[in-house]
Each structure stands twice: as C-alpha cells, then as structure tokens.
Amino acid sequence: MKLRKIVTLTEDLHREGERPVDPVARTAVVLAVIENPWAGRGYVADLLPVIDEVAPELGALLAPRVAEALGAPIEAYGKAAIVGLDGEIEHGSGLIHTLKFGDHFRKVAEATTLLPAVEKRAPAGVVFDIPLKHVTDATIRSHHQTVEARVPDAPRPDEIVVGLAAAAQGRPLARLAPLSSEQ
C-alpha cells in the first residue's frame, strides 16, 4: 500500500435547530489517501491478490484511529471508498467490501452489523456522505445518519480515498418511532 496521507475530521454538535444538544453529538472520520494499486494496469480480472494484501492493512490502520478520534464508545459506523477518475468503482469496493477490512472496525466498535458504505468514482475535492447505522442493530432509526467528508486534493486520478466514520450517538434530537412500531 502506498499511503500519501491520512485526514482526520471530528465534529462536536452543540445545537440542532434552536435546541441545545446534551450531551454534545460527536462524529469522527478518518480517511486514508492511497495510490490505486490497479491504476494504469488496464482491466484487471482478478482483484483478489491485491485486496488480500491491501484491505487488511487499511482496516488495521483506520479502525483504531477513528475510535481514538471519536474518544467515546462507538454507537454508529460506516465506511467509504472514493476512486479517482482513472480507476474503477470496483477498485474501491474491493478494498472495503471484505471482512479483511471491515472486521478490524467491527472489533474496535464491538459491532455485529454490516457496515453501511458509499463508493463512487469522482475527481479530487468531491464532497461525499458516509452513511452510518447502529453497530449492533441496523433497524434502530435514531442511528441512521450521514457524515459529510471531503479531501480537497484527493482522490487524484490514480488514487483511492478509503475511510471509516463513527458516531458516539444517534442523530441529535432523534424522535422517530422504532421501526417495530410499523410492523
């Protein structure tokens, strides 16, 4: 893995609308900007050898960093891969849609659910939303939320931005009825 940089974003929300948020709602995102290991190689039929090499390294790098940045127990989580214009969406998907990547985050978060994800191909500086869901029950509506992220100079055409996001709580001032109330 050729790592160019790591970007860490945190947000502490104190007010939602006209109401105070207590306790303060904290989210954290950690993004790794890496060289796309398939860029410039044309169509690669078998992505698995590189996935097996790079995905575990990325998961091990990012999971503890996002937990540390959050500084609180993780209640909601998600992941992202944004591929530069010379790559394929499948390149980002291959890196994040494997247990070799996601299990690092599940272990740190003490989670049991699948990680929601966003993946797309885009130019440097694109704004993207990372979806979050509850770490043990994806039906808990209060934890369905998104975190916005952006790296101004990434991904370059031959790069991939891979990231993890976490929240210490559900949406601020959440008040929707449980999903079970509609069944």
Side-chain angles (χ1 to χ4, degrees):
M1 174 176 71
K2 292 184 181 175
L3 177 68
R4 182 162 67 89
K5 69 176 171 177
I6 296 173
V7 176
T8 302
L9 310 165
T10 59
E11 178 178 284
D12 292 322
L13 184 64
H14 294 264
R15 296 188 68 77
E16 177 70 10
E18 297 300 316
R19 297 190 173 270
V21 175
D22 186 24
V24 171
R26 175 161 261 230
T27 57
V29 180
V30 177
L31 305 162
V33 179
I34 65 167
E35 180 181 282
N36 182 338
W38 299 283
R41 293 176 49 189
Y43 178 81
V44 177
D46 186 5
L47 302 178
L48 193 56
V50 174
I51 290 168
D52 286 346
E53 176 187 337
V54 176
E57 191 175 350
L58 275 170
L61 174 71
L62 296 174
R65 285 178 182 257
V66 74
E68 181 181 345
L70 189 64
I74 298 169
E75 287 191 19
Y77 68 162
K79 60 187 174 184
I82 310 303
V83 180
L85 296 178
D86 288 348
E88 301 173 31
I89 295 170
E90 191 72 359
H91 297 161
S93 295
L95 293 176
I96 67 171
H97 290 300
T98 173
L99 297 176
K100 294 170 184 162
F101 174 78
D103 277 353
H104 290 279
F105 199 13
R106 269 185 283 283
K107 183 177 179 184
V108 167
E110 299 178 4
T112 57
T113 59
L114 292 176
L115 279 150
V118 62
E119 62 267 26
K120 66 181 184 177
R121 183 176 43 239
V126 67
V127 175
F128 54 95
D129 291 327
I130 304 173
L132 305 179
K133 292 202 176 182
H134 195 277
V135 296
T136 61
D137 185 349
T139 68
I140 297 177
R141 288 181 174 169
S142 61
H143 287 61
H144 293 201
Q145 56 188 316
T146 59
V147 177
E148 187 174 274
R150 175 180 177 270
V151 181
D153 68 343
R156 293 176 179 165
D158 64 345
E159 291 181 331
I160 303 175
V161 176
V162 176
L164 295 177
Q169 69 295 309
R171 291 184 313 279
L173 310 179
R175 53 199 177 272
L176 297 179
L179 183 61
S180 61
S181 69
E182 294 181 25
Q183 297 174 340

